Structure formats: structure tokens, C-alpha cells
Amino acid sequence: MANASAKKILIKNRKKMKAFHIASAIIWAIYVLYRIYYHYDSMDIWNWIGSSIFFGVWITAYFLFTSRATAQFDPDTGKLIDGGDDLSKGMIMEYSWDLVYVNFMVQILTMFSNYFWLLYLSVPVYAIYKVITGVIVPYYKMKDQQDLANEERNNRKKKKPKRRTFRA
């Protein structure tokens, strides 16, 4: 029963990777056939660059997911040692899945209009938002709290009456 959670993670990862492979194959097949083959005359340099970005995001996500989901088995007995990392948990994995979803959505929508390339701007905008709200704002709030604490400490020191020692 010690490997029950590892087996659950392994099964869950395999299902998730199978769904990822099927979705990828369908979306890429439709994109290549419709956008690149059928509408080849509308493919300018920017569409080729965008298609390269699609492929780069997809291949990066594929290798990230497969490396994280790789299970380890005992070479002698063949028993499961580790089921791999859970592909649905963890901040990096969640952001990676979000990026894949945005990638697939833009890939599908750009078959109908080039204006949908603008949806890719949501990725850096969201990244900037997370940096501002997660790093910059807390840094300045922490700095303000430290300044207030230092100010209070200095005020307490000033208010403390000085003791005078009399020697007789």
C-alpha cells in the first residue's frame, strides 16, 4: 500500500498525457491542413514566425510534461518506485498548462483571422501583472512596514526617560 499514491499519480499522468497528445495531434493536423496547406497564399512571414512560436511552445511543454511525468521502476523487480510528479499540481505546471491552453486557442482562432494573434499578448501582460502584484508591491509594503517599525522603535527610545545616577 506504500505505492498506492504513486500508482494513482502514474495513472492520472498517463491519462493527462494521452489527452494532451490527442488534442495536440488534432489541433496540429487541422492547423497544418487548413491554415498552411489550404490557405498557403495568406501565410506571410509573420504567420510563419507565429507558427514557429506555436511549435516552440508546444515542444517545450511536451518535453516539460514528459520529463515531469516519467515514472521510475526498480530495474530488478520492475516495481514502481516513483510515479512522477503530479502534472496538475505545482505553480510551474499550472502556468505551463495555461500557456498550452492559450497556445491551442490562438492556434485555432488564427485560422480564421490574423487579429487573433493579439491574444498572445495576454501571456506577457499576465506575467507583468504577476511580477507587479507578487514581487514589487509586497517589496514596497514590506519596506514601508520596516520603516514604520524602525520609526516606532526610535520614538520609544526618545520617550524613555533617562536615568540619572547620583553618587554620594
Side-chain angles (χ1 to χ4, degrees):
M1 294 312 268
N3 283 341
S5 64
K7 287 178 185 176
K8 287 179 185 178
I9 290 174
L10 178 66
I11 292 168
K12 189 176 178 182
N13 285 347
R14 284 186 177 167
K15 285 180 183 178
K16 200 155 183 115
M17 286 303 293
K18 184 177 180 180
F20 175 67
H21 289 145
I22 291 170
S24 297
I26 291 170
I27 291 171
W28 272 103
I30 292 170
Y31 185 78
V32 167
L33 289 173
Y34 183 77
R35 179 70 175 153
I36 295 176
Y37 181 72
Y38 186 68
H39 290 288
Y40 181 78
D41 55 336
S42 69
M43 290 289 288
D44 60 355
I45 187 68
W46 295 108
N47 285 318
W48 284 109
I49 291 171
S51 297
S52 300
I53 291 172
F54 285 150
F55 185 72
V57 169
W58 177 80
I59 201 76
T60 303
Y62 175 78
F63 283 118
L64 175 70
F65 296 154
T66 54
S67 68
R68 289 288 182 106
T70 303
Q72 295 177 352
F73 295 94
D74 187 7
D76 298 330
T77 61
K79 288 186 179 181
L80 180 65
I81 297 172
D82 182 25
D85 293 340
D86 192 354
L87 291 180
S88 59
K89 292 185 180 171
M91 190 180 302
I92 292 175
M93 296 309 294
E94 289 173 4
Y95 290 145
S96 299
W97 282 111
D98 292 344
L99 189 60
V100 166
Y101 297 145
V102 169
N103 192 54
F104 284 164
M105 181 180 64
V106 172
Q107 194 171 6
I108 290 168
L109 293 174
T110 55
M111 289 188 277
F112 306 110
S113 173
N114 285 336
Y115 289 108
F116 287 112
W117 284 109
L118 295 173
L119 289 175
Y120 247 153
L121 293 176
S122 65
V123 174
V125 167
Y126 184 71
I128 290 169
Y129 167 76
K130 290 302 278 185
V131 167
I132 289 172
T133 60
V135 177
I136 296 173
V137 170
Y139 172 76
Y140 282 110
K141 284 184 179 180
M142 182 178 65
K143 194 173 182 182
D144 290 342
Q145 289 173 352
Q146 287 175 347
D147 290 343
L148 284 173
N150 289 339
E151 192 175 308
E152 287 177 15
R153 195 175 331 126
N154 290 337
N155 286 340
R156 274 189 266 136
K157 285 181 181 177
K158 288 178 184 178
K159 288 181 181 179
K160 245 184 193 177
K162 293 184 179 179
R163 294 183 184 174
R164 295 184 184 180
T165 56
F166 293 103
R167 294 187 179 181

